[in-house]
Amino acid sequence: MSIVIPVYNEETSLPLLLPRLVPVLEGMGRPWEVVFVDDGSRDRSLALLKLAAHDFPGRVKAVELLRNAGQHMAIMAAFGETDGEYVVTLDADLQNPPEEIPRLVAKMDEGYDVVGTVRAKRRDSLFRKAASRLVNRTTALMTGMRLGDYGCMLRGYHRDVVEAMTASDEVSTFIPALAQIYARRPVEIDVAHEERAEGDSKYSVHELVRLNFDLMTGFSVVPLQLFGLLGFLTALAGFSFGVFLLVRRLVVGSELEGVFTLFALAFLVMGVIMAGVGMVGEYVGRIYQQVRGRPRFLVRRVHAGGGDA
Ligand code: UDP
Ligand code: MG
C-alpha cells in the first residue's frame, strides 16, 4: 500500500501529519510506504521531508521536484515512485483525516479499483463551497461523469489504474477525472473533512479558475460543440430578422430606428464570435502545449532511507 502526499509550503502541517498517519498505517497490519512530493516549496518543507525519509528508511520517500508543477502533476510524479498494489492520495494539510484510510482500503479489498470520497461536512469557506458545487455540477453535466466531489483528494486507486494514468502523458490533467476514465469498478464513500490545521490554502482564486478550466476542457469537447450550436442559432436568428426587416420595408416602408436594431444585432454577433475565438483558442493552446511535449514535471532527486538526509 502506497500513500502519496503532495507538499507545497506545508512546514506548519508536516510536523502534525506523520504522527497521525504512521499509527493508522501501522495499525492496518500490511506493508506500507509513504511517498511525499515536494512541489518546489520555498519553506522548510523539503528539509522536513528529508528528515522523515531518514527516520523511516524503506518506508518514507521524498520526491523533490525541480520547481512547482501543481498539485496534480506532483501526484503524477509520485505515482512513478510507488510500488504498492493500492495507491492512496492524501492532502498534506490534514483536511482529509488519515483515520479514514482503513475504510477506503476496505472498499478496495472488496474489489473496487477506484475509491472516491465525498466530503460529508465540508469545512471550507462559504464562497469556496459554492464555487465547488457549481464546478461539480457543470463538470458532471458536460463530461457525463458522475463524481460526487471532484475536489476531495483523499482517494484510492488500484495499481492498474495508476499505471494507466502515468502512461497518459497529458500536459494538464485532473487526477480524479482521469482515474474515472480508467476505472473498471469505481465507488464513492463519505468521509469527514476538517478545517485546515495550519497555514493557508495553496490555491489562489486565479489558480482555481485555471484548474476548473482544465477539468472542463480537458475532459470534454462539449464547450466546443455548445459553441457551434450557439453560433448556428445566432446565425438563424440574424437571418430571420433580416427577412423580417425586408418584408417590413416592402409593406410599411423604411424606418430610421432600424439602424439601431442592426447595431444591437452586430454587437451580439461580434460578442459571439469573440467568445468563439476564445474557446477555440483554449483548445489550440492545449494542442500547442501537447505538441511541444515538454516534460510535465522534473524530479531532481528521490530521498529514501538513511544517509543523505
Ligand atoms: N499542493 C501542491 N502544489 C500546489 C498547490 C498545492 O502540492 O501547487 C498541495 C498542498 O500542499 C496540499 C494539497 O496540494 O497538500 C492541497 O492543497 P490546499 O490544501 O492548498 O488546497 P485546498 O484544500 O484549499 O483545495
Ligand atoms: Mg486543503
Side-chain angles (χ1 to χ4, degrees):
M1 176 177 56
S2 306
I3 312 291
V4 164
I5 306 178
V7 174
Y8 180 55
N9 295 343
E10 302 277 8
E11 63 178 3
T12 46
S13 308
L14 286 176
L16 310 173
L17 180 61
L18 276 176
R20 261 180 77 182
L21 184 60
V22 172
V24 173
L25 298 176
E26 286 290 347
M28 291 172 66
R30 54 176 99 200
W32 59 268
E33 63 166 356
V34 178
V35 180
F36 285 103
V37 201
D38 172 63
D39 189 12
S41 298
R42 261 161 292 171
D43 63 359
R44 287 175 48 249
S45 296
L46 179 65
L48 293 174
L49 293 180
K50 284 190 198 171
L51 269 178
H54 182 75
D55 291 345
F56 296 89
R59 291 291 203 191
V60 174
K61 263 194 243 178
V63 177
E64 177 185 351
L65 296 191
L66 200 65
R67 45 163 296 150
N68 184 265
Q71 182 185 2
H72 293 260
M73 276 309 128
I75 293 174
M76 272 293 185
F79 278 164
E81 300 294 332
T82 59
D83 52 19
E85 165 103 339
Y86 301 161
V87 178
V88 175
T89 59
L90 194 74
D91 281 351
D93 58 4
L94 287 166
Q95 284 195 284
N96 318 126
E99 291 76 20
E100 302 275 9
I101 294 175
R103 285 181 52 220
L104 209 141
V105 169
K107 274 284 168 208
M108 302 203 70
D109 280 338
E110 285 174 33
Y112 296 101
D113 58 351
V114 172
V115 182
T117 52
V118 180
R119 290 168 280 200
K121 265 209 200 93
R122 189 164 171 192
R123 302 285 185 84
D124 269 323
S125 69
L126 222 65
F127 168 73
R128 202 47 217 284
K129 280 195 269 196
S132 275
R133 196 166 314 140
L134 188 75
V135 169
N136 282 337
R137 292 259 170 83
T138 29
T139 318
L141 216 73
M142 296 207 312
T143 61
M145 288 193 252
R146 298 256 162 268
L147 265 183
D149 190 351
Y150 281 87
C152 192
M153 294 304 286
L154 174 61
R155 282 166 186 277
Y157 308 104
H158 191 271
R159 173 103 248 133
D160 298 342
V161 177
V162 170
E163 301 281 338
M165 287 197 283
T166 44
S168 26
D169 52 20
E170 290 165 50
V171 169
S172 44
T173 199
F174 199 90
I175 289 182
L178 191 65
Q180 206 66 13
I181 295 178
Y182 300 123
R184 209 162 22 88
R185 269 186 86 195
V187 71
E188 288 191 320
I189 57 174
D190 280 344
V191 291
H193 188 236
E194 288 173 19
E195 256 163 82
R196 205 176 217 289
E198 296 288 339
D200 296 319
S201 173
K202 301 296 177 275
Y203 280 105
S204 63
V205 173
H206 170 73
E207 283 168 323
L208 277 179
V209 169
R210 220 22 283 159
L211 192 68
N212 294 325
F213 223 93
D214 275 358
L215 181 54
M216 283 179 213
T217 50
F219 289 90
S220 98
V221 287
V222 173
L224 205 54
Q225 294 164 340
L226 271 186
F227 179 74
L229 187 70
L230 189 69
F232 177 72
L233 288 180
T234 315
L236 196 71
F239 182 72
S240 320
F241 193 59
V243 171
F244 166 76
L245 283 182
L246 191 72
V247 172
R248 192 193 145 95
R249 196 194 170 99
L250 292 179
V251 178
V252 191
S254 65
E255 35 102 40
L256 196 62
E257 294 86 47
V259 175
F260 295 102
T261 327
L262 277 175
F263 259 124
L265 201 69
F267 275 111
L268 180 75
V269 172
M270 273 196 289
V272 171
I273 291 172
M274 283 191 290
V277 170
M279 207 66 224
V280 172
E282 185 69 28
Y283 283 97
V284 172
R286 262 152 214 286
I287 295 170
Y288 174 55
Q289 272 190 324
Q290 195 74 48
V291 165
R292 268 188 317 204
R294 285 187 190 158
R296 295 171 301 158
F297 50 79
L298 295 159
V299 174
R300 198 153 79 168
R301 279 183 77 183
V302 178
H303 308 272
D308 65 348

